[in-house]
Amino acid sequence: MSSVAAQQFLLLAKSVRGAAAVDLVTRVLDHPDIFGFDEFLRLESLVNALKQDHLLVLSTLELFAYGTISDYESQRSRFINLSPLARRKLQLLTLASLAVHARVLPYELLLKQLQIENIRELEDLIIDGIYAQVIRGKLDQLNSHLNVEFAIARDVNSVALNRIENILGKWCSNCAALLNVLKYEAKTANQKKKKFLDDQDKYDKEMLSMIKIVDLQGQQSGGGSSKRDNYENDNNLNSLKSLSNIITGNADSKQSGAKKSARNIAKRVLRP
């Protein structure tokens, strides 16, 4: 959201031409409370007025919207001469750009990027930025760096928008690929679960069937069987019941060794 001062200048910018347009832009660049410039660049009347005879002014306005102090110093011929207030504001905007990309900014990096010669001047600039609410952070003089907590967002041009679009496009593609992997893993897990449950149900039924057969044999032998036969039948019945409980309650018992053991016991019990 634009500041109150920016809104006032935007109203004036809709009707200015020629020298008045140049004066308005100069005042905007010097104003201590204006740090957003994209709205001025979207005013066709103002941009068209500057394009006719004041291209340097238009380039300077674009510099404050998207550029840095290093851009200004390396291409001075493309821009108007900045007042001390405007130059300091451009340094603050550059500081905001740096703070967006890193949470710890070494003094050495800041001195170079902000075109500042000594640490005292650097720390004064950072303090000004904090008071102007351009950034929020703490100076670590012992370790010679700035700990960043917050920074204002700079204006975004078409180049940056394309870069953001490409990054988001790659992110969406990665998410889609990950989703396909998760779907495949979920499908595989469900298939394994279904197979496990089917196997469990199959062996449970087999064990119950065997137990019923043994129980029936015990009843048929009845009183005619010797105590030894009854004892063996009881042992066989108990063996099958124990095996059934193990298979029902423990997934590990479904492995090949347990299956083989189950078949062997069943053969031994049911063998005439």
Side-chain angles (χ1 to χ4, degrees):
M1 181 179 293
S2 303
S3 65
V4 174
Q7 291 294 341
Q8 293 174 347
F9 278 110
L10 283 169
L11 291 174
L12 294 173
K14 293 179 181 180
S15 58
V16 295
R17 298 289 185 277
V22 173
D23 179 67
L24 182 140
V25 171
T26 302
R27 290 165 59 193
V28 167
L29 299 182
D30 287 343
H31 200 285
D33 295 331
I34 299 177
F35 291 95
F37 307 91
D38 186 65
E39 289 179 284
F40 292 95
L41 290 169
R42 285 191 275 115
L43 284 177
E44 292 186 8
S45 59
L46 177 62
V47 172
N48 291 333
L50 295 175
K51 276 184 178 180
Q52 293 178 4
D53 300 306
H54 306 285
L55 284 176
L56 292 182
V57 177
L58 179 60
S59 296
T60 305
L61 184 59
E62 292 173 343
L63 171 69
F64 273 70
Y66 316 122
T68 64
I69 189 68
S70 296
D71 296 330
Y72 173 73
E73 295 293 351
S74 62
Q75 306 174 59
R76 292 288 292 272
S77 60
R78 293 186 55 226
F79 312 111
I80 63 174
N81 291 326
L82 298 181
S83 67
L85 287 175
R87 190 179 188 280
R88 193 165 186 80
K89 181 192 285 191
L90 186 56
Q91 288 176 315
L92 291 175
L93 290 168
T94 304
L95 176 60
S97 294
L98 295 171
V100 167
H101 294 93
R103 291 306 180 190
V104 177
L105 296 172
Y107 280 5
E108 183 178 359
L109 173 67
L110 293 175
L111 288 170
K112 180 179 179 181
Q113 295 297 324
L114 300 178
Q115 305 286 315
I116 294 177
E117 297 181 356
N118 59 76
I119 292 178
R120 176 62 182 275
E121 184 181 351
L122 172 63
E123 290 180 341
D124 288 344
L125 178 70
I126 293 173
I127 292 171
D128 287 347
I130 293 173
Y131 277 112
Q133 298 183 352
V134 174
I135 64 166
R136 186 168 63 245
K138 295 180 180 179
L139 294 171
D140 188 340
Q141 296 175 317
L142 181 62
N143 296 303
S144 298
H145 63 240
L146 169 65
N147 294 313
V148 179
E149 299 174 359
F150 162 83
I152 63 171
R154 296 287 306 276
D155 295 318
V156 181
N157 58 12
S158 58
V159 175
L161 283 175
N162 291 335
R163 184 169 64 251
I164 293 172
E165 184 178 359
N166 290 334
I167 293 173
L168 291 176
K170 292 179 180 178
W171 180 77
C172 290
S173 298
N174 291 336
C175 288
L178 179 59
L179 181 60
N180 289 333
V181 172
L182 293 176
K183 286 181 178 179
Y184 173 78
E185 294 294 337
K187 181 180 179 181
T188 302
N190 287 332
Q191 290 174 344
K192 290 182 178 180
K193 178 181 178 182
K194 184 178 184 303
K195 185 177 184 302
F196 172 80
L197 293 176
D198 290 343
D199 288 345
Q200 182 179 5
D201 184 63
K202 176 183 176 181
Y203 283 101
D204 286 347
K205 289 179 179 178
E206 287 181 0
M207 289 302 104
L208 290 174
S209 177
M210 293 176 186
I211 291 171
K212 289 179 180 179
I213 292 173
V214 173
D215 189 32
L216 182 61
Q217 288 178 346
Q219 292 176 5
Q220 289 176 348
S221 59
S225 61
S226 64
K227 292 182 177 180
R228 181 177 178 181
D229 291 337
N230 289 335
Y231 178 74
E232 289 181 355
N233 285 334
D234 289 342
N235 283 342
N236 291 335
L237 181 61
N238 289 334
S239 297
L240 283 173
K241 287 181 177 179
S242 297
L243 182 60
S244 176
N245 290 335
I246 292 174
I247 292 176
T248 303
N250 188 349
D252 292 339
S253 66
K254 300 302 183 296
Q255 303 302 322
S256 59
K259 294 177 183 177
K260 185 176 180 181
S261 177
R263 292 192 181 94
N264 290 337
I265 293 176
K267 289 178 181 178
R268 178 172 58 81
V269 172
L270 299 177
R271 185 181 293 116

